[in-house]
Amino acid sequence: QVQLVESGGGLVQAGDSLRLACAASGGTLTRYLLAWFRQAPGKEREFVASITLSRGTTNYADSVKGRFTISRDIAKNTAYLQMNSLKPEDTAVYYCAARTVLSSSYANWGQGTQVTVSS
C-alpha cells in the first residue's frame, strides 16, 4: 500500500509561484506514476499533471501547460509541482495520487493541500 503525503500549499498573490511536494512510501515505487489533481469549491476534481517515477515521463492538463512543471526526485520518492504565474482560478485543494503505470485508476490518494491565489 502506497502512502502519500503532500506539502507546500499556502496563500499567494496572482503572479506568484508555489511548489508542492508529494512524498510517497510503500510499494515498489519504480512501477508507479504520481499525479496531481485539484478540486475547487463547487467543481469536480480535475487532473493537473503526472509523472512516471522510473522514466520521468510527464503529462499536463492544457490549463497549466507552460506555467506548471512536474518533476521527481527518485532518491526521495518525491514528486514536485512547481506552479508559476499563478492565477485566482488555480485556487483549489491539490491532491497527490498514485497508480501503477499499467493501471487505469488511481488507488492511492493524499490528504490534499490548499492553494489559494488572491487577485
Side-chain angles (χ1 to χ4, degrees), residues 38-112:
R38 66 185 182 186
Q39 188 167 20
K43 295 187 177 181
E44 294 188 353
R45 188 174 298 184
E46 64 174 357
F47 170 82
V48 176
S50 65
I51 188 167
T52 59
L53 286 179
S54 59
R55 297 188 176 186
T57 303
T58 60
N59 190 27
Y60 295 92
D62 288 342
S63 59
V64 305
K65 281 181 181 177
R67 299 189 300 124
F68 291 11
T69 302
I70 191 170
S71 61
R72 92 278 193 226
D73 184 329
I74 298 174
K76 296 182 179 180
N77 287 330
T78 299
Y80 302 95
L81 185 68
Q82 178 67 43
M83 305 185 292
N84 298 330
S85 302
L86 282 162
K87 305 174 182 180
E89 51 263 45
D90 294 317
T91 296
V93 178
Y94 283 71
Y95 296 91
C96 181
R99 63 172 175 83
T100 64
V101 294
L102 297 179
S103 176
S104 59
S105 63
Y106 290 87
N108 309 99
W109 293 83
Q111 79 285 356

Side-chain angles (χ1 to χ4, degrees), residues 10-46:
L11 171 63
V12 297
Q13 294 185 334
D16 285 352
S17 298
L18 204 58
R19 190 177 79 157
L20 306 182
C22 173
S25 60
T28 306
L29 294 174
T30 53
R31 300 177 182 177
Y32 277 79
L33 172 152
L34 295 184
W36 288 97
F37 288 76
R38 66 185 182 186
Q39 188 167 20
K43 295 187 177 181
E44 294 188 353
R45 188 174 298 184
E46 64 174 357

